[in-house]
Amino acid sequence: MLNKYPLWKNLLIITVLLIGGLYAAPNIYPEDYAIQITGTREVHEVDAALMERISQTLAQQGIVVKSSELENGSGLIRFVDSDAQLAAKASMHQVVGDDYVVALNLAPTTPDWLTSIGAGPMKLGLDLRGGVHFLLEVDLPKAVDQKLENYASEIKGKLREEKLRYRTLDIESSTMWVKFGDASVREEALDVLAKEYPSFLVSAADRDESFYVTVALSEQAIRDIETYAIKQNLTTLRNRVNELGVAEPLVQRQGRNRIVVQLPGIQDTAAAKRIIGKTATLEFRLEAKSGTSSARSELHSFRSDPERRATLEKDIIIKGDNVANAQASFDENGQPQVNITLDSKGGDLMARTTKGAVQRRMAVLFVEDKERTVYKKVDGEQVAEKIRYQEKGIISLATIQSVLGSQFRITGLDGAGESSELALLLRAGALAAPIYFVEERTVGPSLGAQNIATGVLSVQIGFALVLVFMFVYYRVFGLMANIALTLNLVLLVAVMSMLSATLTLPGIAGIVLTVGMAVDANVLIFSRIREELKNGLPPQSAIHAGFGRAFTTILDANVTTLIAAVILFAMGTGPVKGFAITLSVGILTSMFTAILVTRSLVNLVYGGRQIKKLSI
């Protein structure tokens, strides 16, 4: 029988539409302004007592809290508006201290029954919903000092290799001072260092009746180190953001020593702040032998037990920037560990050092640059002052049983969370210089709320005019096309939500284009039906012929557009990708609704009936 779908096909269409409605539903629930509190380490968990202290502080200051939640050692406090959110953040840091991360957030309000099936709202870009904005400052003087420390270790090794005895090596104001006990040895060292390090300013100097060789950085060398530090930090931050799975982030340089990070639609801003801002690396050092002078050794505590200490050599075997890959796992006893793979240089250095150090103990030193907030009273007002410091702690101290190569493992971590975080940091790459948060804020729509409201209104007016035109021009068939068009938008939003795609203003342009293409498909079908009626075909045959013969034209038009969208996605970046994704998804959903859904509605109204005239 003409114009009748089998039961299975109707059930399939209904099922797809119901699933689409379910996964599009979370987008009707607005998000709450919130603040998230998370410990800087796994041992610092947020508990009910801390949440109670925070609530009491906010109540005393007259800040209205919408609700608070405590889950998996992390706290979340919701507020009615952004003003309350910002006011609360300013006072909460004094309550929780530096052991916790206080981060701005936008918390979803999706019901549990929807989240239980994996349904969530569509992510919106910074130009639509906004997101989180971090302004980071790179400590460039520290980058120069770290580079000098690396060169100092190389110079020490070179002098020992040439059997040139030196007394001390100190770093002062971008200059290394190497002290010798004899002028003739100093002259030999001067020749060796000038030959090995032609890019440095190497010269002899006498002071305090001692013989020195100074190895200084030129202004150009300092600028090169600073430029490298910024570029390396940009690369590392981008890798860390990619590990977090943030859609369409922005990581770019601002000015001489600052970096802007914008994370649209991110849910766990506390984790993002902790991972992005952590300047942590590893240093592998040998335990100092008994009798080693204090000039060549230093005392360090264990991270897991600060009362336990060990004396390590100052010379560093390798650092975290020699790590090529790192993966968290568990050892044979179920304890967390990190499996390390070194690059070729790191593997050679490790093998060369451990070859002569079998049965000695080697330490893995965790080095982290941190910031402490101290509140002082100035003119009767409390002023926050940031104090920067470096924290070092031994993760493990184990005996070298055999020569180590490029692959080994690190144990002694505080839990699975810390091993995963350490592996992520090492895998993403080491920061060339410490970074500190200068500014943190939620970002509103870049075009302004009024412009976006106007844009949404224009889309609504355009959509309404299309609906009116289709109904007036095609009557009952136009009404069915309007229903299919509305369902197309629902499916489009559902697929975008399921794919966790980010919707931006260019993406809205893709939606508008999709609406036009979906209507265009129905216009082709309905025009074909009209032609068949004029050619004398009965109504049922005209419907069948209209859908059948217009299908090829619709398919050709949509496939060519889909090819263009795929090329845009492959070749474009940022907003272009957003437009391409929305257009591609819209093409697929419009094909489904314009052909199958519209046909199903036509069959429901006209199928299997004796009719003499169509309302078209």
Side-chain angles (χ1 to χ4, degrees):
M1 185 180 295
L2 288 178
N3 305 321
K4 290 289 288 185
Y5 271 164
L7 179 61
W8 68 268
K9 186 174 287 189
N10 285 321
L11 291 177
L12 177 63
I13 293 172
I14 293 172
T15 301
V16 170
L17 294 177
L18 287 175
I19 293 174
L22 278 176
Y23 282 89
N27 293 278
I28 66 176
Y29 295 95
E31 292 176 313
D32 285 335
Y33 291 95
I35 290 180
Q36 192 165 9
I37 309 101
T38 305
T40 55
R41 292 178 57 191
E42 191 169 285
V43 294
H44 299 137
E45 288 192 355
V46 179
D47 54 20
L50 179 61
M51 293 292 286
E52 181 62 27
R53 291 207 313 271
I54 293 172
S55 298
Q56 291 177 358
T57 302
L58 296 179
Q60 291 171 0
Q61 297 181 358
I63 300 174
V64 179
V65 174
K66 186 176 180 180
S67 66
S68 60
E69 305 166 15
L70 181 62
E71 185 177 359
N72 298 326
S74 177
L76 184 73
I77 301 178
R78 299 172 184 260
F79 302 91
V80 293
D81 53 36
S82 60
D83 292 338
Q85 178 195 42
L86 295 175
K89 183 181 184 297
S91 59
M92 283 172 60
H93 195 279
Q94 299 183 43
V95 179
V96 301
D98 293 304
D99 290 332
Y100 298 88
V101 176
V102 179
L104 303 176
N105 203 351
L106 291 170
T109 58
T110 308
D112 293 338
W113 68 273
L114 280 174
T115 56
S116 65
I117 61 173
M122 182 167 45
K123 295 178 181 178
L124 302 181
L126 282 170
D127 54 356
L128 290 181
R129 187 192 70 180
V132 179
H133 169 102
F134 296 128
L135 181 61
L136 307 171
E137 183 177 283
V138 183
D139 191 347
L140 294 181
K142 185 71 173 180
V144 175
D145 291 343
Q146 289 177 348
K147 198 67 175 178
L148 282 173
E149 289 174 4
N150 292 342
Y151 281 124
S153 296
E154 290 184 19
I155 288 174
K156 290 177 182 178
K158 188 64 182 177
L159 292 175
R160 285 195 294 266
E161 184 181 321
E162 298 291 334
K163 298 181 180 179
L164 298 172
R165 295 179 63 86
Y166 66 94
R167 290 184 176 178
T168 59
L169 191 157
D170 299 312
I171 299 174
E172 298 176 8
S173 303
S174 303
T175 301
M176 287 176 279
W177 291 77
V178 189
K179 182 179 179 180
F180 295 89
D182 185 85
S184 60
V185 177
R186 192 264 303 274
E187 294 304 317
E188 290 183 49
L190 187 64
D191 293 338
V192 170
L193 295 179
K195 181 180 178 180
E196 289 293 326
Y197 301 95
S199 60
F200 283 75
L201 303 176
V202 183
S203 60
D206 296 329
R207 70 177 184 181
D208 302 331
E209 299 180 356
S210 298
F211 307 101
Y212 287 89
V213 169
T214 61
V215 184
L217 288 172
S218 64
E219 290 297 324
Q220 182 60 46
I222 292 175
R223 284 196 295 270
D224 291 342
I225 292 173
E226 291 179 347
T227 301
Y228 169 79
I230 291 290
K231 290 182 177 179
Q232 175 64 25
N233 281 12
L234 281 170
T235 300
T236 301
L237 288 174
R238 289 189 180 110
N239 290 339
R240 290 183 180 182
V241 169
N242 290 337
E243 291 276 355
L244 289 170
V246 180
E248 298 191 21
L250 172 68
V251 182
Q252 67 182 22
R253 183 175 183 174
Q254 184 181 84
R256 174 175 170 269
N257 64 338
R258 292 186 172 183
I259 295 175
V260 172
V261 179
Q262 292 182 345
L263 308 174
I266 189 167
Q267 298 299 318
D268 194 350
T269 52
K273 187 177 179 181
R274 187 176 67 248
I275 296 298
I276 289 171
K278 179 165 284 189
T279 310
T281 188
L282 298 180
E283 292 179 358
F284 296 82
R285 303 189 189 188
L286 290 174
E287 185 179 29
K289 294 180 179 179
S290 177
T292 304
S293 67
S294 59
R296 299 183 58 185
S297 64
E298 55 188 10
L299 189 66
H300 290 288
S301 300
F302 282 75
R303 292 188 83 212
S304 58
D305 183 8
E307 299 297 324
R308 183 185 172 198
R309 298 181 178 182
T311 303
L312 308 180
E313 291 186 356
K314 284 187 176 180
D315 289 344
I316 301 170
I317 304 172
I318 61 168
K319 298 181 73 172
D321 49 7
N322 294 117
V323 175
N325 192 20
Q327 298 292 336
S329 64
F330 295 91
D331 62 15
E332 58 275 5
N333 298 317
Q335 297 300 312
Q337 65 178 19
V338 176
N339 298 312
I340 299 290
T341 302
L342 301 177
D343 57 19
S344 57
K345 179 182 178 182
D348 291 341
L349 289 172
M350 181 63 74
R352 192 185 311 163
T353 303
T354 56
K355 184 177 181 180
V358 176
Q359 296 306 315
R360 289 186 63 184
R361 296 205 295 177
M362 184 178 70
V364 180
L365 191 66
F366 187 88
V367 183
E368 184 175 4
D369 290 279
K370 303 179 77 173
E371 204 171 47
R372 181 187 298 114
T373 305
V374 178
Y375 294 92
K376 298 181 178 180
K377 280 196 173 183
V378 179
D379 298 330
E381 294 184 2
Q382 277 198 332
V383 178
E385 180 183 346
K386 299 288 187 180
I387 298 177
R388 296 173 181 176
Y389 64 100
Q390 192 173 71
E391 189 176 273
K392 297 183 179 182
I394 298 173
I395 293 178
S396 65
L397 183 63
T399 302
I400 301 172
Q401 302 292 345
S402 60
V403 178
L404 299 178
S406 59
Q407 293 185 333
F408 54 94
R409 64 182 181 175
I410 298 172
T411 57
L413 300 165
D414 283 340
E418 185 168 49
S419 65
S420 298
E421 187 172 305
L422 177 60
L424 186 155
L425 292 172
L426 292 173
R427 191 165 58 246
L431 290 170
I435 55 176
Y436 302 97
F437 287 90
V438 177
E439 180 184 24
E440 176 198 351
R441 56 188 169 87
T442 52
V443 181
S446 61
L447 297 182
Q450 184 60 43
N451 286 347
I452 289 184
T454 304
V456 172
L457 180 61
S458 64
V459 172
Q460 292 173 342
I461 292 174
F463 185 68
L465 289 175
V466 169
L467 295 181
V468 171
F469 169 79
M470 291 297 292
F471 179 70
V472 171
Y473 197 72
Y474 291 108
R475 301 175 188 176
V476 174
F477 277 79
L479 177 62
M480 289 183 282
N482 290 341
I483 295 173
L485 185 60
T486 304
L487 293 174
N488 175 47
L489 291 179
V490 173
L491 288 179
L492 174 57
V493 171
V495 175
M496 293 279 286
S497 300
M498 286 189 284
L499 294 177
S500 296
T502 301
L503 181 65
T504 59
L505 280 177
I508 290 180
I511 292 177
V512 174
L513 182 57
T514 298
V515 170
M517 293 189 64
V519 169
D520 183 59
N522 286 128
V523 168
L524 287 173
I525 294 170
F526 299 162
S527 297
R528 188 71 189 189
I529 293 174
R530 281 181 169 180
E531 289 183 8
E532 298 299 340
L533 289 172
K534 289 180 180 179
N535 291 334
L537 283 180
Q540 294 288 8
S541 299
I543 293 173
H544 182 76
F547 276 98
R549 294 176 182 177
F551 176 78
T552 304
T553 305
I554 296 170
L555 182 63
D556 290 345
N558 282 276
V559 167
T560 53
T561 307
L562 184 60
I563 292 172
V566 170
I567 294 173
L568 283 175
F569 180 81
M571 304 294 290
T573 58
V576 176
K577 281 183 177 285
F579 174 80
I581 291 174
T582 309
L583 181 59
S584 301
V585 174
I587 289 170
L588 298 176
T589 57
S590 66
M591 287 282 289
F592 175 79
T593 56
I595 297 174
L596 291 178
V597 175
T598 305
R599 182 67 183 272
S600 179
L601 292 172
V602 171
N603 291 349
L604 181 65
V605 175
Y606 293 107
R609 294 171 49 195
Q610 294 291 333
I611 51 176
K612 297 181 179 180
K613 186 178 181 181
L614 295 177
S615 179
I616 194 172

